[in-house]
Amino acid sequence: METMRIGIHKRKGSFSERWISYCQEKGIAYKVVNCFENDIIEQLADCDALMWHHHHESARDIQVAKQLLFALEGSGKVVFPDFSSSWHFDDKVGQKYLFESIGAPLVPSYPFYTRKEALEWANTTTFPKVFKLRGGAASDNVKLVKTRSHAIRLIKRAFGRGFKRYKPLGSLNERWRLFKMGRTSFFDVLKGWIRIVRPTYFARLLKRDRGYVYFQEFIPGNSHDIRLTYVFDRIVAFRRQVRPRDFRASGSYILDKDQANIPPEALRIAFEVAHKLKFQSAALDFIMKDSDPLIVEVCYAFVPWEGLFSFGYWDRDLNLHPGAFNALDWMVDGVLEKLQHRSR
Ligand SMILES: Nc1ncnc2c1ncn2[C@@H]1O[C@H](COP(=O)(O)OP(=O)(O)O)[C@@H](O)[C@H]1O
Ligand SMILES: [Mg+2]
Protein backbone atom coordinates (compact mmCIF):
# COMPACT_ATOMS: atom_id res chain seq x y z
CA MET A 1 0.00 0.00 0.00
CA GLU A 2 1.23 3.49 -0.80
CA THR A 3 2.27 5.64 2.16
CA MET A 4 -0.33 7.94 3.59
CA ARG A 5 0.88 11.36 4.58
CA ILE A 6 -0.75 13.62 7.14
CA GLY A 7 -0.43 17.41 6.90
CA ILE A 8 -0.19 19.02 10.34
CA HIS A 9 -0.65 22.71 11.03
CA LYS A 10 1.87 23.56 13.72
CA ARG A 11 1.06 25.95 16.55
CA LYS A 12 3.01 26.29 19.76
CA GLY A 13 1.12 24.95 22.76
CA SER A 14 -1.44 23.11 20.62
CA PHE A 15 -2.12 19.40 20.06
CA SER A 16 0.15 19.66 16.99
CA GLU A 17 3.32 19.40 19.10
CA ARG A 18 2.28 15.99 20.38
CA TRP A 19 0.94 14.89 16.98
CA ILE A 20 4.31 15.63 15.41
CA SER A 21 6.36 13.82 18.05
CA TYR A 22 3.97 10.85 17.86
CA CYS A 23 4.41 10.67 14.07
CA GLN A 24 8.19 10.80 14.52
CA GLU A 25 8.11 8.11 17.19
CA LYS A 26 5.93 5.78 15.11
CA GLY A 27 7.45 6.54 11.72
CA ILE A 28 4.15 7.92 10.43
CA ALA A 29 4.61 10.07 7.29
CA TYR A 30 3.70 13.70 8.03
CA LYS A 31 4.39 17.17 6.73
CA VAL A 32 4.25 20.43 8.62
CA VAL A 33 2.07 22.89 6.70
CA ASN A 34 1.01 26.48 7.27
CA CYS A 35 -2.73 26.91 6.84
CA PHE A 36 -2.43 30.69 6.67
CA GLU A 37 -0.33 30.69 3.53
CA ASN A 38 -1.99 31.37 0.22
CA ASP A 39 -0.76 28.12 -1.32
CA ILE A 40 -2.02 25.84 1.43
CA ILE A 41 -3.98 23.70 -1.01
CA GLU A 42 -0.79 23.16 -3.01
CA GLN A 43 1.15 22.43 0.19
CA LEU A 44 -1.35 19.65 0.84
CA ALA A 45 -1.20 18.18 -2.67
CA ASP A 46 1.05 15.35 -1.46
CA CYS A 47 -0.94 14.84 1.77
CA ASP A 48 -3.99 12.65 2.28
CA ALA A 49 -5.13 14.38 5.44
CA LEU A 50 -4.96 17.63 7.39
CA MET A 51 -4.93 17.98 11.16
CA TRP A 52 -5.37 21.43 12.66
CA HIS A 53 -5.99 22.12 16.34
CA HIS A 54 -7.61 25.50 15.89
CA HIS A 55 -8.59 27.65 18.83
CA HIS A 56 -11.77 29.61 19.52
CA GLU A 57 -9.82 32.58 20.91
CA SER A 58 -7.33 32.92 18.09
CA ALA A 59 -8.09 35.94 15.93
CA ARG A 60 -6.63 34.18 12.89
CA ASP A 61 -7.99 30.67 13.45
CA ILE A 62 -11.59 31.82 13.64
CA GLN A 63 -11.29 33.54 10.26
CA VAL A 64 -10.45 30.46 8.26
CA ALA A 65 -10.07 27.19 10.15
CA LYS A 66 -13.54 25.72 9.62
CA GLN A 67 -13.73 26.96 6.04
CA LEU A 68 -10.42 25.37 5.05
CA LEU A 69 -11.04 22.09 6.88
CA PHE A 70 -14.54 21.67 5.44
CA ALA A 71 -13.42 22.62 1.93
CA LEU A 72 -10.75 19.92 2.07
CA GLU A 73 -13.17 17.41 3.52
CA GLY A 74 -15.52 18.15 0.65
CA SER A 75 -12.71 17.47 -1.80
CA GLY A 76 -12.15 14.02 -0.30
CA LYS A 77 -9.30 14.49 2.14
CA VAL A 78 -9.54 13.24 5.69
CA VAL A 79 -9.47 16.14 8.14
CA PHE A 80 -9.32 16.58 11.88
CA PRO A 81 -11.54 18.01 13.20
CA ASP A 82 -14.10 17.13 10.53
CA PHE A 83 -17.46 18.74 9.80
CA SER A 84 -19.55 16.49 12.07
CA SER A 85 -17.19 17.07 14.98
CA SER A 86 -16.77 20.80 14.65
CA TRP A 87 -19.40 22.77 12.69
CA HIS A 88 -20.91 23.55 16.12
CA PHE A 89 -17.57 24.41 17.76
CA ASP A 90 -17.91 27.37 20.14
CA ASP A 91 -21.60 27.64 19.26
CA LYS A 92 -23.93 26.54 22.05
CA VAL A 93 -26.96 27.71 20.07
CA GLY A 94 -26.08 25.35 17.21
CA GLN A 95 -25.54 22.56 19.72
CA LYS A 96 -29.10 22.89 21.02
CA TYR A 97 -30.49 21.81 17.64
CA LEU A 98 -27.78 19.20 17.18
CA PHE A 99 -28.60 17.36 20.41
CA GLU A 100 -32.36 17.81 20.10
CA SER A 101 -32.26 16.39 16.58
CA ILE A 102 -31.17 12.99 17.89
CA GLY A 103 -33.23 13.13 21.08
CA ALA A 104 -30.13 13.41 23.31
CA PRO A 105 -30.76 14.60 26.87
CA LEU A 106 -29.76 18.26 26.62
CA VAL A 107 -30.44 20.70 29.45
CA PRO A 108 -33.71 22.40 28.35
CA SER A 109 -32.57 25.40 26.32
CA TYR A 110 -34.36 28.50 25.08
CA PRO A 111 -32.89 30.65 22.31
CA PHE A 112 -34.77 33.70 21.02
CA TYR A 113 -34.15 35.79 17.93
CA THR A 114 -36.49 38.70 18.59
CA ARG A 115 -36.80 40.92 21.62
CA LYS A 116 -40.58 40.55 21.61
CA GLU A 117 -40.58 36.75 21.83
CA ALA A 118 -37.84 36.75 24.46
CA LEU A 119 -39.76 39.24 26.63
CA GLU A 120 -43.00 37.26 26.29
CA TRP A 121 -41.17 34.18 27.49
CA ALA A 122 -39.46 36.01 30.37
CA ASN A 123 -42.80 37.39 31.52
CA THR A 124 -44.36 33.95 31.85
CA THR A 125 -41.52 31.60 32.85
CA THR A 126 -40.08 30.84 36.29
CA PHE A 127 -36.66 31.76 37.69
CA PRO A 128 -33.76 31.10 38.22
CA LYS A 129 -32.53 30.40 34.69
CA VAL A 130 -29.02 30.30 33.24
CA PHE A 131 -27.97 32.90 30.66
CA LYS A 132 -25.19 32.09 28.17
CA LEU A 133 -23.54 33.57 25.18
CA ARG A 134 -23.22 31.04 22.37
CA GLY A 135 -19.40 31.13 22.57
CA GLY A 136 -16.73 31.10 25.23
CA ALA A 137 -15.14 28.63 27.64
CA ALA A 138 -14.13 28.24 31.29
CA SER A 139 -17.57 29.58 32.39
CA ASP A 140 -16.65 33.07 31.09
CA ASN A 141 -20.00 33.80 29.49
CA VAL A 142 -22.36 31.86 31.78
CA LYS A 143 -24.50 33.61 34.42
CA LEU A 144 -27.23 32.73 36.87
CA VAL A 145 -30.37 34.82 36.36
CA LYS A 146 -32.30 34.85 39.59
CA THR A 147 -35.08 37.26 38.75
CA ARG A 148 -37.41 38.24 35.94
CA SER A 149 -36.13 41.81 36.00
CA HIS A 150 -32.55 40.62 35.51
CA ALA A 151 -33.67 38.50 32.55
CA ILE A 152 -35.48 41.47 31.04
CA ARG A 153 -32.35 43.63 31.38
CA LEU A 154 -30.30 40.95 29.62
CA ILE A 155 -32.86 40.62 26.82
CA LYS A 156 -32.96 44.38 26.24
CA ARG A 157 -29.18 44.43 26.06
CA ALA A 158 -29.06 41.40 23.74
CA PHE A 159 -31.25 43.29 21.27
CA GLY A 160 -29.51 46.58 22.02
CA ARG A 161 -25.81 47.21 22.38
CA GLY A 162 -25.01 43.52 22.95
CA PHE A 163 -22.36 41.73 24.99
CA LYS A 164 -18.59 41.56 24.88
CA ARG A 165 -17.17 38.04 25.00
CA TYR A 166 -13.86 38.90 26.61
CA LYS A 167 -14.13 40.54 30.02
CA PRO A 168 -10.72 41.67 31.24
CA LEU A 169 -11.74 42.07 34.91
CA GLY A 170 -13.31 38.63 35.10
CA SER A 171 -10.26 37.22 33.37
CA LEU A 172 -7.90 38.89 35.87
CA ASN A 173 -9.94 37.48 38.75
CA GLU A 174 -9.69 33.97 37.33
CA ARG A 175 -5.95 34.31 36.71
CA TRP A 176 -5.48 35.33 40.34
CA ARG A 177 -7.59 32.41 41.61
CA LEU A 178 -5.65 29.94 39.44
CA PHE A 179 -2.32 31.48 40.52
CA LYS A 180 -3.23 30.92 44.19
CA MET A 181 -4.00 27.28 43.31
CA GLY A 182 -0.60 26.92 41.62
CA ARG A 183 -2.29 26.42 38.24
CA THR A 184 -0.80 29.44 36.52
CA SER A 185 2.25 31.71 36.70
CA PHE A 186 2.58 35.17 38.18
CA PHE A 187 3.45 36.34 34.68
CA ASP A 188 -0.04 35.27 33.62
CA VAL A 189 -1.53 37.42 36.40
CA LEU A 190 0.53 40.38 35.19
CA LYS A 191 -0.73 39.76 31.68
CA GLY A 192 -4.25 39.92 33.12
CA TRP A 193 -3.52 43.44 34.40
CA ILE A 194 -2.16 44.51 31.04
CA ARG A 195 -5.29 43.17 29.34
CA ILE A 196 -7.38 45.73 31.22
CA VAL A 197 -5.66 48.61 29.45
CA ARG A 198 -4.80 46.72 26.32
CA PRO A 199 -7.27 43.96 25.41
CA THR A 200 -6.07 41.14 23.16
CA TYR A 201 -6.29 41.58 19.42
CA PHE A 202 -8.92 38.84 19.51
CA ALA A 203 -11.04 40.82 21.98
CA ARG A 204 -10.82 44.00 19.90
CA LEU A 205 -11.59 42.17 16.71
CA LEU A 206 -14.64 40.24 17.82
CA LYS A 207 -18.07 41.69 17.17
CA ARG A 208 -20.40 41.91 20.13
CA ASP A 209 -22.95 39.16 20.64
CA ARG A 210 -26.32 40.65 19.78
CA GLY A 211 -29.51 39.82 17.95
CA TYR A 212 -30.14 36.64 19.90
CA VAL A 213 -30.49 35.64 23.52
CA TYR A 214 -29.98 32.21 25.04
CA PHE A 215 -31.22 30.80 28.32
CA GLN A 216 -31.19 27.35 29.88
CA GLU A 217 -33.14 25.74 32.66
CA PHE A 218 -31.06 26.02 35.84
CA ILE A 219 -30.34 22.55 37.22
CA PRO A 220 -29.71 23.02 40.94
CA GLY A 221 -27.70 20.95 43.39
CA ASN A 222 -24.63 20.13 41.30
CA SER A 223 -21.42 20.31 43.33
CA HIS A 224 -19.51 19.19 40.20
CA ASP A 225 -19.94 18.85 36.49
CA ILE A 226 -18.80 15.72 34.66
CA ARG A 227 -16.37 16.12 31.78
CA LEU A 228 -16.28 13.15 29.42
CA THR A 229 -13.65 13.51 26.72
CA TYR A 230 -14.48 11.17 23.85
CA VAL A 231 -11.68 10.53 21.35
CA PHE A 232 -12.15 7.91 18.62
CA ASP A 233 -14.21 5.48 20.69
CA ARG A 234 -12.58 5.91 24.09
CA ILE A 235 -13.46 8.23 26.94
CA VAL A 236 -11.33 9.97 29.53
CA ALA A 237 -13.51 11.00 32.47
CA PHE A 238 -13.20 13.35 35.43
CA ARG A 239 -15.33 15.73 37.47
CA ARG A 240 -14.80 19.40 38.19
CA GLN A 241 -15.98 20.97 41.40
CA VAL A 242 -17.85 24.25 41.21
CA ARG A 243 -15.97 27.38 42.31
CA PRO A 244 -16.59 28.45 45.92
CA ARG A 245 -20.01 30.16 46.25
CA ASP A 246 -20.71 29.63 42.55
CA PHE A 247 -22.66 27.12 40.43
CA ARG A 248 -20.08 26.97 37.65
CA ALA A 249 -17.50 24.20 37.38
CA SER A 250 -16.01 24.67 33.91
CA GLY A 251 -12.51 26.15 34.23
CA SER A 252 -12.38 25.75 38.03
CA TYR A 253 -9.54 23.21 37.87
CA ILE A 254 -10.76 21.77 41.16
CA LEU A 255 -10.54 18.22 39.87
CA ASP A 256 -11.96 14.92 41.02
CA LYS A 257 -10.27 12.06 39.19
CA ASP A 258 -11.98 9.25 41.11
CA GLN A 259 -13.50 7.05 38.42
CA ALA A 260 -15.98 5.60 40.92
CA ASN A 261 -17.71 9.00 40.83
CA ILE A 262 -18.40 8.86 37.09
CA PRO A 263 -22.04 7.85 36.47
CA PRO A 264 -22.11 4.89 34.02
CA GLU A 265 -25.28 6.35 32.48
CA ALA A 266 -23.34 9.47 31.46
CA LEU A 267 -20.68 7.28 29.82
CA ARG A 268 -23.39 5.35 27.96
CA ILE A 269 -25.00 8.55 26.72
CA ALA A 270 -21.64 10.00 25.65
CA PHE A 271 -20.75 6.92 23.58
CA GLU A 272 -24.20 6.79 22.02
CA VAL A 273 -24.25 10.49 21.15
CA ALA A 274 -20.71 10.39 19.76
CA HIS A 275 -21.52 7.38 17.58
CA LYS A 276 -24.80 8.79 16.32
CA LEU A 277 -23.30 12.18 15.52
CA LYS A 278 -20.08 10.65 14.12
CA PHE A 279 -17.79 12.65 16.39
CA GLN A 280 -14.03 12.16 16.08
CA SER A 281 -13.41 13.87 19.38
CA ALA A 282 -15.86 15.53 21.73
CA ALA A 283 -15.42 16.92 25.21
CA LEU A 284 -18.93 16.60 26.64
CA ASP A 285 -20.01 18.39 29.82
CA PHE A 286 -22.78 16.86 31.90
CA ILE A 287 -24.69 17.90 35.00
CA MET A 288 -27.08 15.74 37.00
CA LYS A 289 -30.80 16.24 37.41
CA ASP A 290 -31.43 13.83 40.28
CA SER A 291 -30.02 10.61 38.81
CA ASP A 292 -30.29 11.68 35.14
CA PRO A 293 -27.22 13.05 33.37
CA LEU A 294 -27.99 16.04 31.13
CA ILE A 295 -25.66 17.36 28.42
CA VAL A 296 -24.56 20.97 28.85
CA GLU A 297 -22.32 21.40 25.82
CA VAL A 298 -19.73 19.83 23.51
CA CYS A 299 -16.36 20.92 22.19
CA TYR A 300 -14.05 19.05 19.80
CA ALA A 301 -10.93 20.37 21.61
CA PHE A 302 -9.98 20.42 25.27
CA VAL A 303 -7.13 21.37 27.59
CA PRO A 304 -4.76 18.40 27.93
CA TRP A 305 -3.72 19.38 31.46
CA GLU A 306 -0.82 17.65 33.19
CA GLY A 307 -2.08 14.34 34.53
CA LEU A 308 -5.22 14.15 32.38
CA PHE A 309 -4.05 10.88 30.85
CA SER A 310 -2.99 9.23 34.11
CA PHE A 311 -6.18 7.76 35.53
CA GLY A 312 -7.33 5.43 32.79
CA TYR A 313 -9.84 5.51 29.96
CA TRP A 314 -13.21 3.84 29.32
CA ASP A 315 -14.04 1.71 26.30
CA ARG A 316 -17.49 1.41 24.74
CA ASP A 317 -18.30 -1.63 26.87
CA LEU A 318 -17.63 0.58 29.89
CA ASN A 319 -14.47 -1.21 30.95
CA LEU A 320 -11.91 1.05 32.61
CA HIS A 321 -8.35 0.67 31.29
CA PRO A 322 -5.67 1.94 33.66
CA GLY A 323 -2.11 2.66 32.57
CA ALA A 324 -0.27 5.18 30.44
CA PHE A 325 -1.65 6.57 27.18
CA ASN A 326 -2.07 9.87 25.39
CA ALA A 327 -5.47 10.63 23.87
CA LEU A 328 -3.85 13.08 21.43
CA ASP A 329 -2.15 10.06 19.79
CA TRP A 330 -5.57 8.51 19.24
CA MET A 331 -6.43 11.46 17.00
CA VAL A 332 -3.51 10.60 14.70
CA ASP A 333 -4.42 6.89 14.87
CA GLY A 334 -8.04 7.74 14.08
CA VAL A 335 -7.09 9.75 11.01
CA LEU A 336 -4.75 6.99 9.81
CA GLU A 337 -7.39 4.34 10.32
CA LYS A 338 -9.87 6.34 8.25
CA LEU A 339 -7.29 6.68 5.46
CA GLN A 340 -6.49 2.97 5.51
CA HIS A 341 -10.15 2.03 5.61
CA ARG A 342 -10.80 4.23 2.58
CA SER A 343 -7.94 2.86 0.50
CA ARG A 344 -9.16 -0.71 0.99
N1 LIG B 1 -28.17 24.88 32.94
C1 LIG B 1 -27.28 24.76 33.92
N2 LIG B 1 -27.66 24.47 35.21
C2 LIG B 1 -26.75 24.37 36.19
N3 LIG B 1 -25.42 24.54 36.01
C3 LIG B 1 -24.98 24.82 34.76
C4 LIG B 1 -25.88 24.94 33.67
N4 LIG B 1 -25.17 25.23 32.56
C5 LIG B 1 -23.89 25.29 32.94
N5 LIG B 1 -23.75 25.05 34.27
C6 LIG B 1 -22.47 25.09 35.01
O1 LIG B 1 -21.71 26.15 34.48
C7 LIG B 1 -20.49 25.67 33.90
C8 LIG B 1 -20.19 26.39 32.60
O2 LIG B 1 -21.19 26.15 31.63
P1 LIG B 1 -20.86 25.71 30.15
O3 LIG B 1 -22.13 25.83 29.38
O4 LIG B 1 -20.18 24.40 30.14
O5 LIG B 1 -19.89 26.88 29.66
P2 LIG B 1 -18.34 26.90 29.21
O6 LIG B 1 -18.36 26.83 27.74
O7 LIG B 1 -17.84 28.19 29.71
O8 LIG B 1 -17.68 25.69 29.81
C9 LIG B 1 -20.70 24.19 33.73
O9 LIG B 1 -19.44 23.54 33.87
C10 LIG B 1 -21.66 23.83 34.85
O10 LIG B 1 -20.95 23.60 36.05
MG1 LIG C 1 -18.24 23.73 29.58
Side-chain angles (χ1 to χ4, degrees):
M1 197 174 62
E2 55 175 322
T3 24
M4 299 290 184
R5 195 196 319 273
I6 302 177
I8 298 178
H9 177 83
K10 193 170 160 181
R11 174 171 60 86
K12 206 167 160 261
S14 80
F15 296 169
S16 62
E17 291 178 327
R18 175 71 199 190
W19 292 340
I20 289 169
S21 52
Y22 182 65
C23 286
Q24 287 168 346
E25 215 173 277
K26 295 279 160 173
I28 298 165
Y30 76 97
K31 175 183 183 182
V32 172
V33 297
N34 184 346
C35 289
F36 296 114
E37 283 171 2
N38 188 42
D39 66 346
I40 178 61
I41 299 294
E42 223 173 287
Q43 289 178 40
L44 288 166
D46 58 352
C47 295
D48 306 280
L50 171 66
M51 299 181 74
W52 182 0
H53 174 199
H54 58 86
H55 195 277
H56 68 281
E57 278 186 2
S58 157
R60 287 207 291 178
D61 291 8
I62 59 170
Q63 302 294 345
V64 66
K66 286 182 186 176
Q67 287 81 350
L68 176 65
L69 286 161
F70 302 162
L72 287 163
E73 186 176 355
S75 79
K77 292 206 198 284
V78 174
V79 298
F80 179 92
D82 66 4
F83 182 79
S84 302
S85 308
S86 66
W87 67 261
H88 42 81
F89 175 50
D90 205 33
D91 182 4
K92 293 184 173 82
V93 173
Q95 291 165 22
K96 167 199 155 71
Y97 305 106
L98 178 69
F99 289 123
E100 284 184 1
S101 71
I102 58 159
L106 175 75
V107 174
S109 300
Y110 314 102
F112 299 97
Y113 307 101
T114 63
R115 174 179 145 129
K116 182 167 173 277
E117 283 157 301
L119 287 173
E120 273 165 18
W121 172 81
N123 280 318
T124 49
T125 192
T126 56
F127 289 90
K129 290 282 190 287
V130 175
F131 166 88
K132 299 184 181 185
L133 298 184
R134 69 200 306 170
S139 301
D140 288 346
N141 299 322
V142 175
K143 282 202 227 302
L144 190 63
V145 182
K146 289 191 186 145
T147 62
R148 190 176 323 280
S149 62
H150 187 192
I152 290 172
R153 273 202 314 280
L154 289 166
I155 292 166
K156 288 184 174 162
R157 186 156 168 196
F159 294 96
R161 72 191 154 110
F163 300 93
K164 278 191 183 161
R165 277 206 194 170
Y166 183 80
K167 292 164 210 86
L169 273 180
S171 161
L172 176 61
N173 249 325
E174 271 299 283
R175 288 174 206 247
W176 179 241
R177 191 183 64 80
L178 293 172
F179 172 69
K180 284 189 293 182
M181 286 173 65
R183 278 267 161 202
T184 194
S185 63
F186 192 67
F187 180 68
D188 193 48
V189 179
L190 285 180
K191 265 205 318 215
W193 275 104
I194 293 166
R195 291 289 167 239
I196 293 177
V197 248
R198 198 184 154 73
T200 55
Y201 177 52
F202 167 77
R204 283 178 285 141
L205 190 90
L206 213 63
K207 289 193 216 97
R208 284 168 182 253
D209 276 66
R210 53 198 291 213
Y212 78 93
V213 68
Y214 187 56
F215 293 96
Q216 278 188 339
E217 214 54 66
F218 172 61
I219 312 297
N222 281 274
S223 61
H224 295 74
D225 78 350
I226 302 150
R227 162 54 72 91
L228 302 184
T229 306
Y230 171 98
V231 181
F232 287 102
D233 219 21
R234 294 165 185 170
I235 287 178
V236 179
F238 62 95
R239 297 198 311 162
R240 302 176 290 201
Q241 199 182 313
V242 296
R243 294 166 176 80
R245 296 172 302 281
D246 197 326
F247 73 105
R248 298 167 310 163
S250 165
S252 77
Y253 282 100
I254 314 170
L255 305 165
D256 170 18
K257 304 163 193 173
D258 187 347
Q259 300 297 300
N261 292 334
I262 304 301
E265 186 56 17
L267 288 165
R268 260 192 293 278
I269 294 168
F271 275 114
E272 194 185 329
V273 163
H275 292 158
K276 269 196 188 153
L277 294 174
K278 302 191 166 56
F279 288 153
Q280 296 171 315
S281 82
L284 288 151
D285 294 342
F286 288 85
I287 50 181
M288 301 298 289
K289 186 176 184 186
D290 307 316
S291 56
D292 298 327
L294 295 179
I295 298 174
V296 175
E297 61 151 343
V298 65
C299 183
Y300 92 86
F302 50 89
V303 179
W305 44 270
E306 185 80 46
L308 173 60
F309 305 135
S310 65
F311 40 88
Y313 68 84
W314 296 87
D315 67 25
R316 64 154 81 193
D317 301 318
L318 304 200
N319 300 307
L320 180 63
H321 298 255
F325 63 90
N326 190 319
L328 307 184
D329 301 346
W330 303 340
M331 295 171 180
V332 178
D333 292 339
V335 165
L336 271 183
E337 206 166 289
K338 179 101 190 267
L339 285 171
Q340 280 154 4
H341 184 82
R342 241 181 21 181
S343 74
R344 259 190 246 117

